[in-house]
Amino acid sequence: MQEIIDNLDNDFAESLIAANIYPFGQEGNDMGPLVFDGRREVSENEFPIRFFDYNYYGDLEGISEIIFSSFSKLLECITYFLKEVETRKIFEIIPDFFHIDPEGAGKTGVDYWLEQAAMYKQNEEHFLGNPTSGL
């Protein structure tokens, strides 16, 4: 619980909240916090999910494209991921987000998710060897 408090109780989070951008977690690759983008009204408060790059501290240019169209789509994708990762490689699973969330991950989030998949594939090939290279 303390980690959540630390993520939300600081000057950086306060500056985002003042701009109707609400941090709620971490992106996972040390980029910055995951945020609800509340700058526009949306039905049932299903705000799009973005992340905010720490390198742009306080500058709204640090906000990413929408990577999930809503929190419910984030949960659908993560639930799917957690089930699939038992039998498939991460880089094979990520592109399935495009079908689960065509308005977020599959639209404005495509580049972000393709970069994530490529990074996981590259890491696997680096640490396990590329089976097609004869290693």
Side-chain angles (χ1 to χ4, degrees):
M1 194 65 163
Q2 187 61 45
E3 186 176 339
I4 294 170
I5 292 168
D6 292 344
N7 283 331
L8 300 175
D9 188 19
N10 58 61
D11 292 341
F12 181 69
E14 287 179 21
S15 69
L16 294 177
I17 292 167
N20 295 326
I21 299 169
Y22 306 101
F24 68 92
Q26 289 296 317
E27 184 264 348
N29 289 310
D30 295 327
M31 291 295 295
L34 287 173
V35 298
F36 294 110
D37 185 353
R39 296 177 294 171
R40 293 194 179 118
E41 286 190 39
V42 294
S43 174
E44 300 182 34
N45 291 325
E46 284 285 351
F47 297 111
I49 308 299
R50 302 173 184 257
F51 69 88
F52 198 92
D53 188 334
Y54 282 129
N55 293 323
Y56 288 86
Y57 189 91
D59 184 345
L60 291 183
E61 288 190 29
I63 197 163
S64 74
E65 294 293 330
I66 294 169
I67 58 174
F68 291 111
S69 63
S70 65
F71 190 67
S72 59
K73 288 298 182 182
L74 175 149
L75 292 177
E76 279 185 63
C77 288
I78 297 305
T79 301
Y80 175 82
F81 175 87
L82 292 172
K83 289 177 184 174
E84 292 295 312
V85 77
E86 294 177 14
T87 59
R88 296 173 59 202
K89 298 177 189 295
I90 292 173
F91 62 86
E92 296 171 338
I93 301 167
I94 289 174
D96 294 346
F97 292 178
F98 305 154
H99 304 289
I100 297 168
D101 183 17
E103 293 302 312
K107 192 173 187 179
T108 56
V110 168
D111 290 341
Y112 172 81
W113 290 113
L114 288 176
E115 286 175 20
Q116 295 298 308
M119 178 186 67
Y120 281 105
K121 185 175 184 179
Q122 182 180 22
N123 284 344
E124 181 166 308
E125 290 172 351
H126 176 75
F127 291 109
L128 299 178
N130 184 347
T132 60
S133 71
L135 295 176

